[in-house]
Amino acid sequence: MPVADLPWPVPFEHSFAERLPGCYQPWQPAPVPAPRLVLFNRALAEQLGLGDVATPLLAEFLSGRQLPPGARPIALAYAGHQFGHFNPQLGDGRALLLGEIRDTSGRLWDLHLKGSGATPFARGGDGKAALGPMLREYLMGEAMTALGIPSTRALAVVATGEAVQRERPLPGAVLSRVASSHIRVGTFQFLAVRDDLAKLRDLADYTIQRHYPQLRAEANPYLALLRRVLEGQAELIARWQAVGFIHGVMNTDNMSIAAETIDYGPCAFMDRYDPATVFSSIDHGGRYAYGEQPRIAQWNLVRLAECLVPLVDDTDEEHAIALLTEELNRFPDVFARHWQRIFAAKLGLRPSSAGVDEVTVSLIHRFLELLQKEAEDFTLAFRRLASHLRGTDERDLGLEPIPATWDPWLQDWQRHIDATGEDRRRVAARMDACNPIYIPRNHLVEEALAAAQFAGDLGPLQALLARLEDPYTARADSIRYSQPMPTDWGPYRTFCGT
Ligand code: AMP
Ligand code: MG
């Protein structure tokens, strides 16, 4: 039979299940009455070699009503610090890993269902997911991917035909998610808290082999593992900061060892620039506020380092701690290096071989202070600067001229740009290529989700997705997608995706 005629043309691998017994429970998805494919990520499906699977079969396979041939579903175990409090037993309460598949370029991906029924890790939860939050995760993952930010991605959202009970009954859905892996800081914590050194070493070895194979040659691969995760997370968070993304629930169980954005719950993009911005309704103390994200990432990495102590040196704990601490202490510098480089580019400035110069760093900080003082829209501010540099009126693209209050900063910035000798229009073009004009604005996301959930109308969601998939190209027909939230809208509150 030609491959395309097979019901499921790609073989599953089960490296996690085979290598890491004790880190999961085999489990079956709950039956769903009437699966219906709501969103399907065709580009991702093609990348995975799944482009030719027939739609009715996709609804069956990606809702868990039937298992795709070769799938061996498991619920992953993990622990985690949630808002600073340790819970030794979390795990996939409503999710299952079907297995791993290789994409057309040979890269291995986890294929995972979310909302597929209660597992032994459900802790009283119903194991289900509502359509709205699953569509939200789809949208956010695609937006982040188009922004060049490492992220898990949704393959599909399938409505189950079943109501899930929240504050009121809501339509149920299953999200299928693709990730480099689902290994979290909390996966390490799960084994470390159980003092299972052999399994912990297996997990670290597996992680290195899967994500960072070059580390096997290092003198101390486990120390190098912390370094690599730290570097990946520092860059990831710098990229979040650069687009105003607020994850909202940076618990250690929601931090990926592969340094991808994972577990979209109460996340949202910041409108006006304010480092204290928090959207999540449960984040009362602002622990996961925009401006706290770098500090929290480092805090989470300290938790990972604690797990690695016996692997780094199993005879001399103090020595292991000293080595790991030295790595952890690099975080602020590594983060600052990425942050400065990315924000310099947002302002059209290029680092020299020695890095970002002091004048540029001070321009970045002064600009952010200005945005905060003037309560300016973060996303549009950078596009307006580029527009100003071009010297053309771009109000037809929704870009308002810059107010006189920016003048002192503006003059310093332009002087610095002009000193490079580069043509202003070229600088502006470079800025536009790294400053999105379309982000998932909260009022648009809510509008699209309400239409999809309660009126069965996917039009607004598709229209929004189309802009988010090409976030840097300003379109004259799309002003409503770039404009700040209406003044009578908000304050915005988000909820965990339960
Ligand atoms: P989250 O904050 O969404 O990452 O979830 C934290 C933990 O709660 C994870 O272990 C989830 O699997 C679990 N969980 C969340 N919602 C549910 C649900 N409806 N049923 C069972 N477990 C859930
Ligand atoms: Mg989670």
Side-chain angles (χ1 to χ4, degrees), residues 27-32 61-65 67 73-75 92-98 112-119 126-129 134 160 162 173-176:
W27 200 252
Q28 295 296 310
V32 300
F61 291 155
L62 300 179
S63 66
R65 185 154 84 162
L67 286 179
I74 56 175
D92 287 338
R94 54 165 173 170
L96 292 171
L97 176 64
L98 295 181
H112 182 94
L113 300 182
K114 185 163 170 179
S116 50
T119 75
D126 65 356
K128 309 284 180 177
M134 296 306 100
T160 57
E162 177 181 67
V174 174
L175 174 94
S176 40

Side-chain angles (χ1 to χ4, degrees), residues 25-47:
Q25 289 260 334
W27 200 252
Q28 295 296 310
V32 300
R36 182 177 54 84
L37 197 60
V38 177
L39 280 182
F40 181 57
N41 194 333
R42 188 147 291 283
L44 180 59
E46 307 236 312
Q47 184 194 331

Side-chain angles (χ1 to χ4, degrees), residues 306-323:
E306 286 165 357
C307 299
L308 297 176
V309 168
L311 299 183
V312 165
D313 190 334
D314 59 358
T315 55
D316 186 346
E317 187 177 287
E318 265 178 45
H319 180 234
I321 292 173
L323 292 174

